[in-house]
Amino acid sequence: MKLGMVTWLMGKDMDCHQLIELCQQSGLQGVELRTEHAHGVELTLSKQERTEVRALFDDSGIEIAGLGGCYEYHSKDPEEVKANIEGSKAYAQLAAEVGAPGIKVRPNYLYDDIPHEKTQEQVGTALREVAAFAEGLGIQVRLEVHGINGSKDPRNIRAIMDWADHPNAYVCWNSNVQEQDENGSIQWGFDLLKHKIGLVHITDIGVYQYPWQELFDNLKAINYTGYCLAEMGYNPEPVRFMKYYRTLFDLYTGQYKYPQA
């Protein structure tokens, strides 16, 4: 397993050079570049600018673990869903050109006045279309276990994935505290989605709020070798903080050694 970070809060005000420097100094291997943040890896980039972003990361030794989009497919408005599908396809093209291996999309809501099965089918069908398109670019499409009103329930995500039914449609496990059963275990939800996990988001692994050891043991059991991405809030000493984070990650995953190779 590889450790990286999401630019959700900690890196939201950093440009690409600053993100790379943070990763290099703290021992992170990659970064998911979230949309609408200061690094500016967006659809508006010219072809030349996309080439420059790719070269910057290639030369640095830090990987772009993915692009974190906000495209979602649950809307009641068919035109809005269509716009999000087309936006996702353009985002996949951007990912291919900057050297990212995948994009993140999401469901974000389940309506009380629409049968959940209908929304699951709608999201899954949209996901299938985007996954089929992105497959031709060599780009994974990762559905984040995300949203409110039941949207992030693993049972909902499993139903969506069954509707999508495409080998290039993956799940981004999101480490939601609500996934725990009465005994604090996440096994039931993990078992529903483990065959589709293509990316993992993790939060504060230094806090007793989630069964971190169970998660990492489960990931090892399925031979997961992808990224676990730290999704952390602002810290005034980001390099120092993430060095501690890296040590905890290595201990949890059995990769700790000193001195580091």
Side-chain angles (χ1 to χ4, degrees), residues 107 143-145 151 153-161 171 193:
L143 185 78
E144 188 174 17
V145 184
S151 174
D153 189 303
R155 289 163 293 198
N156 177 60
I157 301 298
R158 174 58 187 265
I160 290 171
M161 297 306 295
V171 165
L193 302 175

Side-chain angles (χ1 to χ4, degrees), residues 6 8 32 34 67-73 103-109 123 127 141-147 151-154 156-157 160-161 170-176 179 193 199-203 229 231:
V6 181
W8 177 57
E32 181 182 78
R34 194 182 186 280
L67 299 185
C70 295
Y71 296 105
E72 49 198 37
Y73 314 129
I103 62 170
K104 179 178 66 65
V105 299
R106 65 193 189 192
N108 215 27
Y109 195 74
V123 175
L127 177 60
V141 181
R142 303 147 172 177
L143 185 78
E144 188 174 17
V145 184
H146 189 274
S151 174
K152 63 187 172 186
D153 189 303
N156 177 60
I157 301 298
I160 290 171
M161 297 306 295
Y170 292 86
V171 165
C172 172
W173 184 266
N174 204 36
S175 302
N176 302 309
E179 292 154 357
L193 302 175
L199 190 69
V200 176
H201 284 178
I202 52 179
T203 54
L229 299 173
E231 194 168 7

Side-chain angles (χ1 to χ4, degrees), residues 16 23-24 31 40 53 62 70 94 126 169 171 211 214 216 251:
C16 287
C23 290
Q24 289 173 332
V31 58
V53 169
I62 301 300
C70 295
L94 173 65
V171 165
E214 183 181 18
F216 293 124
L251 288 167

